[in-house]
Amino acid sequence: MSYEKVDVPEEGEKITVADDGEELHVPDNPIIPIIYGDGIGQDVGPAAQTVLEAAAEATGREINWMRLYAGESARERYDENLPDDTVEAIKEFRVAIKGPLTTPVGAGFRSLNVALRKKLDLYTNMRPTFHLDGVPSPVKNPEAMDMVNFRENTEDVYAGIEWEAGSDGVEEVREFIEEEMGFDSTIHDGPVGIGIKPITEFGTKRLVRKAIDYALENDRDSVTLVHKGNIMKFTEGAFRDWGYEVAEEEYGEEVITEDTLWEERDGDAPEDAVVVNDRIADNMLQQLLTRTEQYDVLAMPNLNGDYLSDAAGAQIGGLGIAPGANIGDGRMLAEPVHGSAPKYAGQDKVNPSALILSGRIMLEYLGWTDAADLVRDALEETISAGEVTYDIERQIDGGEKLATSEFAERVAERIRQNA
């Protein structure tokens, strides 16, 4: 495929996918699209490239970067925020990484990040949350957090079905709800905004499968379905029920539900089996703090996942170091959790750890676990040594304040030393 304003690397090979649409065939010299993003993306993007290139080279591989554009950089080049070139290139090359994007007012999108996920059907938002030694945290034992959050990425509030107060649409929906559906005394008088929260069996089950598959492949003990089904019985309650159906009907002895575990086996789980349980969302928020070590993998509808993953990130030092990735069938886009922080753009000062760790998820997705381990170990060693960017240096004693690019070089040096 040819692209209007994108240069495809002359070197490198494409990642392909097997007939099942899932298993990747990854060459040792893949072409990987990268979007630097807006604001501090111009700083953290190159920094992440430095680290990921070092990890690939240290394990006998090579990444061939393909620069793509979205947000401000796309407006300059294409006069639009999300050009077809960018979407089609990620579809074709399958695995990509991006920095933060800001959706400008009047852009035609609720969110550029959400638009990319939906156009590519990246239905799983995956956020591993673990503490790196040396990172200041607001809790006493941040090392207890080692959790992976799976958040549904295409429905619930991300469906974007809502009507503004005072609009013709909201009055039509209100009339239908009150007169046709019988909820005639539920909505207060006066202006009202109305939204619809779809949660489907299809969307739920494919998300829960991703979570259970991850737990099985990575020796995790449990998957917890987080929902508000005690109140929203036919949406979030259905999420819980459909999640249990996946566990009970599709995995045999590999997976066991918490009820079966205690009612039929007196707590004696089969060896290496994953236990699937569920928790009410508000209760789960406090259990993040009080029983952190009891949870491994969480599977959640979109809004719950947003709250829970950010709260988990706070316990390990904040969203500035929190990685993430959006995954579909045979396709993924790695991205950090934090925003674009435009006031710091171009100052070479912000912490690139979140994008670096998002790149680590990308390396794992490629099957390059040896390279991924090098990235985590070198990053942790650098921070533990007090060689840090300003955000951490101001919170510790005796630290060495490094620029974004300098920090990335230190991490890359340790990767080469440790290989």
Side-chain angles (χ1 to χ4, degrees), residues 278-414:
D278 74 279
R279 298 291 182 268
I280 301 298
D282 49 319
N283 181 45
M284 189 66 225
L285 276 165
Q286 66 97 15
Q287 293 210 32
L288 281 180
L289 282 167
T290 61
R291 300 183 180 182
T292 310
E293 68 285 345
Q294 293 185 14
Y295 295 94
D296 280 319
V297 177
L298 307 184
M300 298 164 280
N302 184 273
L303 187 59
N304 292 338
D306 201 8
Y307 295 154
L308 266 293
S309 56
D310 280 13
Q315 291 183 217
I316 52 92
L319 300 187
I321 58 167
N326 304 291
I327 303 171
D329 293 331
R331 188 171 285 121
M332 78 96 72
L333 175 63
E335 65 176 2
V337 175
H338 63 67
S340 59
K343 71 178 182 178
Y344 296 119
Q347 297 182 29
D348 196 25
K349 68 179 292 185
V350 297
N351 191 341
S353 294
L355 189 56
I356 291 170
L357 288 171
S358 299
R360 173 181 175 263
I361 303 173
M362 183 187 78
L363 297 179
E364 289 183 327
Y365 188 75
L366 295 175
W368 296 2
T369 55
D370 50 353
D373 291 343
L374 284 172
V375 169
R376 174 172 172 162
D377 291 346
L379 186 67
E380 186 167 48
E381 289 169 12
T382 303
I383 294 172
S384 295
E387 301 166 17
V388 292
T389 48
Y390 86 100
D391 56 313
I392 294 179
E393 186 270 341
R394 65 186 179 182
Q395 299 182 66
I396 64 175
D397 295 326
E400 179 185 2
K401 183 167 69 174
L402 301 175
T404 307
S405 54
E406 292 174 326
F407 177 78
E409 287 293 346
R410 296 285 180 92
V411 176
E413 287 172 13
R414 282 188 167 85

Side-chain angles (χ1 to χ4, degrees), residues 193-359:
I194 296 177
I196 292 179
K197 173 193 179 73
I199 291 182
T200 66
E201 179 182 13
F202 173 78
T204 296
K205 287 189 171 182
R206 66 179 183 173
L207 181 277
V208 173
R209 286 187 197 103
K210 285 286 189 194
I212 293 176
D213 288 345
Y214 179 90
L216 289 168
E217 292 164 7
N218 292 275
D219 297 322
R220 295 283 183 156
D221 293 333
S222 66
V223 172
T224 301
L225 309 171
V226 183
H227 60 92
K228 192 64 178 170
N230 57 328
I231 302 298
M232 307 191 76
K233 300 182 186 302
F234 306 128
T235 51
E236 303 218 2
F239 178 91
R240 174 201 59 213
D241 295 343
W242 288 324
Y244 275 129
E245 285 181 15
V246 171
E248 292 168 345
E249 298 174 5
E250 300 184 17
Y251 288 91
E253 284 292 298
E254 288 186 298
V255 174
I256 188 169
T257 66
E258 187 173 48
D259 285 347
T260 300
L261 177 66
W262 290 103
E263 291 175 4
E264 299 180 12
R265 304 182 64 100
D266 196 28
D268 182 23
E271 187 175 357
D272 299 326
V274 169
V275 176
V276 175
N277 53 35
D278 74 279
R279 298 291 182 268
I280 301 298
D282 49 319
N283 181 45
M284 189 66 225
L285 276 165
Q286 66 97 15
Q287 293 210 32
L288 281 180
L289 282 167
T290 61
R291 300 183 180 182
T292 310
E293 68 285 345
Q294 293 185 14
Y295 295 94
D296 280 319
V297 177
L298 307 184
M300 298 164 280
N302 184 273
L303 187 59
N304 292 338
D306 201 8
Y307 295 154
L308 266 293
S309 56
D310 280 13
Q315 291 183 217
I316 52 92
L319 300 187
I321 58 167
N326 304 291
I327 303 171
D329 293 331
R331 188 171 285 121
M332 78 96 72
L333 175 63
E335 65 176 2
V337 175
H338 63 67
S340 59
K343 71 178 182 178
Y344 296 119
Q347 297 182 29
D348 196 25
K349 68 179 292 185
V350 297
N351 191 341
S353 294
L355 189 56
I356 291 170
L357 288 171
S358 299

Side-chain angles (χ1 to χ4, degrees), residues 90-258:
I90 298 174
K91 286 182 180 178
E92 181 177 0
F93 292 93
R94 297 203 164 266
V95 177
I97 185 170
K98 63 173 281 294
L101 290 175
T102 301
T103 301
V105 175
F109 295 99
R110 290 172 181 266
S111 162
L112 289 177
N113 295 311
V114 174
L116 262 173
R117 297 168 192 172
K118 295 183 78 169
K119 284 177 178 288
L120 296 165
D121 197 26
L122 302 173
Y123 57 85
T124 300
N125 181 239
M126 172 187 169
R127 295 187 183 180
T129 309
F130 51 86
H131 184 248
L132 295 172
D133 186 42
V135 176
S137 165
V139 300
K140 291 182 178 179
N141 299 303
E143 66 280 356
M145 173 67 71
D146 184 9
M147 195 177 298
V148 185
N149 296 313
F150 283 76
R151 171 193 181 196
E152 206 289 324
N153 226 7
T154 62
E155 47 188 32
D156 192 1
V157 295
Y158 266 13
I161 305 173
E162 61 175 356
W163 294 269
E164 185 179 4
S167 67
D168 291 341
V170 83
E171 293 306 321
E172 291 177 19
V173 174
R174 180 175 190 158
E175 181 179 342
F176 176 77
I177 290 172
E178 292 181 339
E179 298 183 9
E180 299 294 328
M181 301 302 293
F183 293 92
D184 55 351
S185 60
T186 301
I187 302 174
H188 294 301
D189 292 337
V192 58
I194 296 177
I196 292 179
K197 173 193 179 73
I199 291 182
T200 66
E201 179 182 13
F202 173 78
T204 296
K205 287 189 171 182
R206 66 179 183 173
L207 181 277
V208 173
R209 286 187 197 103
K210 285 286 189 194
I212 293 176
D213 288 345
Y214 179 90
L216 289 168
E217 292 164 7
N218 292 275
D219 297 322
R220 295 283 183 156
D221 293 333
S222 66
V223 172
T224 301
L225 309 171
V226 183
H227 60 92
K228 192 64 178 170
N230 57 328
I231 302 298
M232 307 191 76
K233 300 182 186 302
F234 306 128
T235 51
E236 303 218 2
F239 178 91
R240 174 201 59 213
D241 295 343
W242 288 324
Y244 275 129
E245 285 181 15
V246 171
E248 292 168 345
E249 298 174 5
E250 300 184 17
Y251 288 91
E253 284 292 298
E254 288 186 298
V255 174
I256 188 169
T257 66
E258 187 173 48

Side-chain angles (χ1 to χ4, degrees), residues 65-84:
W65 299 106
M66 179 182 181
R67 182 80 185 277
L68 300 180
Y69 304 90
E72 183 178 355
S73 63
R75 293 194 297 276
E76 294 172 355
R77 185 170 284 242
Y78 293 88
D79 197 29
E80 59 179 307
N81 289 291
L82 189 56
D84 289 342

